[in-house]
């Protein structure tokens, strides 16, 4: 289970080695890019393990979704690393324990005893991607506000990538949850997955007015 919100007060910021004094704007963007690179690296950690699980291969849509996330994550890491180099920033390692706490460092151990492994892996991936999404929104706002169009475009592209993945997980999770229940010997109502998906989509659509 994820450890988000456990009260760990350790800073989750990188410090790039750029000093202030005339370069505050660049330093701010470097810091956000470093944050995102660290986050993307931690998102990557469970994905290969999930793809290698026998349980995952039983559920085609889940396997496809996780593979898509892994491919995008690889591309994001490369792009952020290149962006950070161009900004003159440096990746640091002090952040690792903080991100591990946020994303649940003990997830791998818990996975070994889960009965509903695949659906809960998707839940954890959904949580991590939403953290990435709001973080990319912050990077996008910072870069636009400070006039860095290159970094702003990168943040917007990566946000778009993960927004689609988040929506995809919402669409497939009812089927995976119910299929796992069936595989565990439970009797599941016919058509339940389609009903859950319809109701969930209606809930999200009904709250879309906040974007106006």
């Amino acid at each position: 289970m994820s450890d988000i919100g456990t009260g760990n007060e350790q800073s989750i910021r990188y410090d790039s080695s750029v000093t202030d004094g005339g370069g505050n704007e660049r330093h701010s963007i470097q810091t956000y890019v470093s944050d995102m690179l660290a986050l993307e690296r931690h998102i990557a950690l469970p994905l290969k393990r999930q793809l290698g699980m026998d349980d995952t291969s039983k559920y085609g849509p889940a396997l496809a979704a996780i593979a898509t996330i892994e491919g995008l994550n690889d591309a994001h890491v490369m792009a952020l690393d290149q962006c950070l180099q161009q900004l003159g920033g440096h990746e640091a390692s002090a952040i690792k324990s903080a991100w591990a706490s946020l994303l649940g460092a003990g997830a791998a151990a818990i996975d070994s005893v889960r009965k509903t492994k695949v659906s809960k892996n998707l839940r954890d991936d959904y949580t991590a991607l939403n953290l990435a999404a709001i973080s990319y929104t912050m990077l996008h706002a910072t870069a636009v506000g400070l006039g860095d169009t290159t970094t702003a475009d990168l943040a917007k592209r990566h946000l778009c990538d993960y927004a689609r993945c988040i929506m995809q997980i919402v669409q497939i999770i009812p089927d995976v949850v119910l299929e796992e229940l069936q595989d565990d010997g439970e009797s599941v109502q016919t058509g339940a997955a389609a009903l859950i998906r319809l109701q969930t989509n209606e809930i999200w659509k009904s709250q879309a007015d906040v974007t106006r």
Side-chain angles (χ1 to χ4, degrees), residues 83-101:
C83 179
L84 187 58
Q85 290 182 38
Q86 291 172 344
L87 289 168
H90 300 279
E91 187 174 354
S93 60
I95 191 70
K96 290 184 178 179
S97 61
W99 279 131
S101 176

Side-chain angles (χ1 to χ4, degrees), residues 6 19 27 46 48 51 72 108 110 118 143 153 170 172 186 189:
T6 55
T19 59
H27 182 270
K48 285 185 172 57
L51 289 172
L72 291 170
I110 295 172
V118 179
D153 287 345
V170 171
I172 67 175
E186 301 291 342
Q189 295 293 316

Side-chain angles (χ1 to χ4, degrees), residues 14-15 19-20 51 124 134 138 143 149 152 190 192 204 211:
Y14 271 127
D15 286 325
T19 59
D20 293 334
L51 289 172
D124 292 346
I134 194 63
M138 294 171 69
T149 57
T190 302
W204 285 103
T211 65

Side-chain angles (χ1 to χ4, degrees), residues 10-134:
Q10 182 176 351
S11 171
I12 59 170
R13 273 290 172 89
Y14 271 127
D15 286 325
S16 69
S17 63
V18 178
T19 59
D20 293 334
N24 289 340
E25 295 86 355
R26 177 176 287 268
H27 182 270
S28 296
I29 295 173
Q30 287 172 342
T31 301
Y32 269 117
V33 172
S34 293
D35 284 350
M36 289 312 309
L37 180 56
L39 177 54
E40 290 281 14
R41 290 196 189 282
H42 278 281
I43 289 173
L45 294 177
L47 297 177
K48 285 185 172 57
R49 174 182 51 78
Q50 291 173 10
L51 289 172
M53 290 171 54
D54 291 338
D55 292 279
T56 307
S57 63
K58 298 177 184 177
Y59 308 98
L63 180 64
I66 296 169
T68 296
I69 296 168
E70 184 190 37
L72 291 170
N73 174 263
D74 285 344
H76 290 182
V77 168
M78 291 179 62
L80 287 164
D81 187 49
Q82 182 179 17
C83 179
L84 187 58
Q85 290 182 38
Q86 291 172 344
L87 289 168
H90 300 279
E91 187 174 354
S93 60
I95 191 70
K96 290 184 178 179
S97 61
W99 279 131
S101 176
L102 284 172
L103 296 180
I110 295 172
D111 284 344
S112 64
V113 296
R114 286 175 170 172
K115 286 187 177 181
T116 52
K117 295 178 182 178
V118 179
S119 59
K120 289 182 178 177
N121 282 342
L122 287 173
R123 178 201 62 189
D124 292 346
D125 294 341
Y126 179 91
T127 301
L129 293 183
N130 274 279
L131 177 58
I134 194 63

Side-chain angles (χ1 to χ4, degrees), residues 59 116 176-188:
Y59 308 98
T116 52
V176 176
V177 168
L178 296 177
E179 285 176 29
E180 286 187 318
L181 287 173
Q182 287 180 313
D183 290 345
D184 199 38
E186 301 291 342
S187 178
V188 173

